Amino acid sequence: MSAFLTRFAPSPTGFLHLGHAFSALTVFDAAKAAGGRCLLRIEDIDTTRCKPEYEAAVLEDLRWLGCDWPEPVRRQSEHFAEYQSALEQLHSKGLVYRCFKTRREIAEDIARAPHHPGEGPEGVIYPGPSEPMSTEEEAERLEAGDAFSWRLSITACRDHLGADFDRLTFTETGEGPDGETGEVRARPETLGDVILGRKDVGTSYHLACTHDDALQGVTHVIRGLDLYFATHLHRLLQELMGWPVPVYRHHRLMLDENGKRFAKRDQSLTLRALREAGETPDSLRKRVGL
């Protein structure tokens, strides 16, 4: 196994744009510089928004950029059973619970709380129910076919890990939003009781991502600064599941002239549009500052 193994893991919900190109080149360049390898992983658990034509475009665009990767490519949509197994392990330890609340109900609960947490790094955070749902009520909701999500209980995780919960750290070789680098204390509680799966989709990005990093032997995770706070949660999942902990590096985000992140709806900045306009891989590298 390579001493340096990283991955680029796009979601095929649209065409790659300039921001994706910067991220992909950053990751593949880092692997090359380290004499290691970079995997390509297709994160397509959102089976409604992910499309085969977008995946084909991802492969085409990456090859145009000069990236290559070992085969076979892992497609997460082919491995739901594995993620379900991981979720069941967490459930057997009493670390996840079914939550039947809608987004609106959760927002109303938070607003009514005397010391509600308000806005967290990933938006409004849910601190968990004031008291667990009774077995009888849960059975009734399930019998009625109500939709639910599986949430990770931060309180249960803290009880399960004891003092080790407050000793969780990860190594950051880039720079966090507050200039954090080196050994960073993981603070998963800042994200609240996050969703790890739903009734209709048995996993979430957080669970599938950390599962696959462990399964594939990823030693270095290189990704955008927008996922920095997710790393705090991922470190907790690694501890709960006994998974190895990669080294992390979060890179800057590409912003438009208004200081906003590029989005897949910005069709003029998709790689296919730039290519048709005469952009070359070399000129694109200069454009993104690589």
Side-chain angles (χ1 to χ4, degrees):
M1 180 181 295
S2 171
F4 188 107
L5 180 65
T6 188
R7 82 298 195 274
F8 181 62
S11 295
T13 57
F15 298 116
L16 297 188
H17 54 60
L18 203 57
H20 294 123
F22 173 73
S23 186
L25 290 171
T26 297
V27 176
F28 280 95
D29 285 357
K32 183 177 180 180
R37 295 182 299 146
C38 181
L39 305 175
L40 175 64
R41 185 165 74 216
I42 301 298
E43 297 194 338
D44 57 348
I45 59 173
D46 186 342
T47 55
T48 300
R49 296 174 60 222
C50 294
K51 307 292 184 183
E53 56 268 31
Y54 292 142
E55 181 181 330
V58 165
L59 302 180
E60 178 184 351
D61 288 341
L62 290 177
R63 291 192 176 105
W64 175 75
L65 285 173
C67 303
D68 56 54
W69 50 85
E71 297 286 351
V73 171
R74 182 175 176 87
R75 293 171 178 81
Q76 290 186 333
S77 60
E78 299 172 354
H79 302 280
F80 281 115
E82 296 174 35
Y83 309 133
Q84 182 64 36
S85 176
L87 187 60
E88 288 172 356
Q89 291 181 57
L90 292 170
H91 184 254
S92 70
K93 297 176 182 178
L95 302 177
V96 298
Y97 61 92
R98 288 188 182 91
C99 176
F100 293 89
K101 290 182 178 293
T102 64
R103 289 174 182 264
R104 173 178 289 183
E105 289 171 335
I106 286 175
E108 291 172 350
D109 284 353
I110 291 173
R112 282 195 298 266
H115 302 290
H116 69 81
E119 293 292 325
E122 291 194 343
V124 175
I125 65 172
Y126 180 49
S130 57
E131 59 184 43
M133 179 178 290
S134 69
T135 302
E136 293 76 13
E137 182 181 355
E138 183 176 37
E140 290 175 1
R141 299 292 296 268
L142 289 173
E143 179 67 23
D146 293 350
F148 64 84
S149 57
W150 288 104
R151 288 186 178 270
L152 182 69
S153 170
I154 291 296
T155 298
C157 290
R158 189 183 289 277
D159 292 342
H160 179 74
L161 294 177
D164 287 341
F165 183 93
D166 294 316
R167 289 195 285 262
L168 296 175
T169 63
F170 61 90
T171 300
E172 173 61 47
T173 60
E175 187 174 294
D178 296 320
E180 293 178 308
T181 190
E183 187 175 22
V184 177
R185 156 84 196 287
R187 302 182 299 277
E189 66 276 8
T190 60
L191 278 73
D193 286 7
V194 299
I195 293 174
L196 293 187
R198 299 182 187 277
K199 176 184 177 181
D200 53 343
V201 179
T203 190
S204 68
Y205 160 75
H206 299 299
L207 184 59
C209 171
T210 49
H211 173 280
D212 286 358
D213 285 342
L215 178 73
Q216 295 185 290
V218 171
T219 62
H220 292 71
V221 172
I222 304 168
R223 58 192 181 192
L225 197 56
D226 54 323
L227 289 170
Y228 179 78
F229 288 104
T231 305
H232 293 256
L233 171 65
H234 296 179
R235 180 63 188 90
L236 174 59
L237 290 173
Q238 290 154 0
E239 191 72 13
L240 296 173
M241 297 298 296
W243 290 333
V245 183
V247 173
Y248 288 90
R249 172 185 163 192
H250 294 88
H251 61 69
R252 64 184 172 89
L253 302 176
M254 292 292 297
L255 305 176
D256 63 18
E257 63 274 9
N258 298 315
K260 295 183 178 180
R261 289 169 50 195
F262 293 117
K264 290 177 179 176
R265 62 180 175 272
D266 299 325
Q267 295 300 311
S268 64
L269 291 174
T270 63
L271 297 193
R272 56 174 43 202
L274 292 170
R275 187 162 63 244
E276 292 171 358
E279 197 86 48
T280 68
D282 286 341
S283 65
L284 188 141
R285 275 184 173 276
K286 293 178 182 178
R287 182 168 180 159
V288 300
L290 293 174

